[in-house]
Amino acid sequence: MDDSQPRFLDDVTVELVKHSASDTDVLWAARVSTAGEQSLDEIGKDPERSKGLINYLMRDRHGSPFEHNSMTFLVSAPIFVFREFHRHRVGWSYNEESGRYRQLQPNFYIPGRERKLVQEGRPGKYVFVEGTEEQHKVVTEAMETSYRQSYAAYQEMLEAGVAREVARAVLPVGLFSSMYATCNARSLMHFLSLRTKSEQAKVPSFPQREIEMVAEKMEAAWAELMPLTHAAFVANGRIAP
Ligand SMILES: Cc1cc2nc3c(=O)[nH]c(=O)nc-3n(C[C@H](O)[C@H](O)[C@H](O)COP(=O)(O)OP(=O)(O)OC[C@H]3O[C@@H](n4cnc5c(N)ncnc54)[C@H](O)[C@@H]3O)c2cc1C
């Protein structure tokens, strides 16, 4: 692959690289209240009761039992997504690739054909609708031209011996970055409640589509690890406990 030529991508990637997370982690943490140090022995005892307990904790927002687990994701997404992501401060740890210590790769975001392009209405009330063929053409061409130009300027400065941390100033927020993001189920639920749009949400949110694409992939991975917890989250209106 030629690393000097821009590549244009219309999707994000999310890989679950490490985890220690299951529904039973919620159960033993919650049951210490009543069973003390024996709470670990009770884990597999009564699946229906376990489901009921998780649902009760979710409904009544007893949140701390959902913190005794860990998931690490490798995320690759445009910088404008990371700007939004890093606002989530509580229960998240991040490490991102450095534009000071490595040459940034020319991977750039261009919205796919299914990405709604046109905003209608007023802030807080607006909706997004399909773009026309012509609008998609304008977006694709304008972005490609701009990305090629800015990456060429970046390379020109690097070749002239300018430091990476200075040259990167010309790169746009559509450039892809990568990071490890580690969370627990409680912090993930808070993130999902704000960064996904769902008919089941009691409190609707209107996230930018691209961070929602990341959130959806995280949610799918989490739902496999903790199906009872995920189901209780959805059943209780997607409100983080
Ligand atoms: C649709 C949408 C639009 C947005 N638009 C904008 C925008 O225009 N401009 C902008 O700047 N941001 C914007 N944001 C970001 C938003 O304001 C939050 O910074 C972001 O969603 C992270 O949420 P959080 O603070 O609840 O998360 P976290 O930082 O993970 O915090 C989790 C929870 O911990 C508690 N908490 C954390 N820190 C504190 C604290 N210092 N004091 C008290 N309690 C605390 C709160 O209960 C908080 O909900 C937007 C977010 C969304 C979802």
Side-chain angles (χ1 to χ4, degrees), residues 40-106:
L40 271 175
D41 303 337
E42 289 197 14
I43 283 172
K45 269 190 183 160
D46 182 347
E48 269 314 303
R49 250 186 72 220
S50 301
K51 194 173 153 192
L53 174 58
I54 288 176
N55 193 58
Y56 155 76
L57 295 168
M58 194 74 70
R59 190 194 66 214
D60 285 16
R61 304 194 67 208
H62 292 299
S64 51
F66 297 100
E67 295 173 9
H68 299 271
N69 56 81
S70 171
M71 291 164 273
T72 300
F73 297 94
L74 176 59
V75 182
S76 178
I79 288 170
F80 66 81
V81 169
F82 281 21
R83 271 180 74 165
E84 296 185 349
F85 211 126
H86 293 158
R87 300 297 303 280
H88 295 264
R89 299 157 288 179
V90 177
W92 285 91
S93 303
Y94 304 110
N95 280 95
E96 184 181 358
E97 70 174 293
S98 167
R100 300 184 67 202
Y101 304 130
R102 76 180 300 219
Q103 180 173 339
L104 296 170
Q105 300 303 295

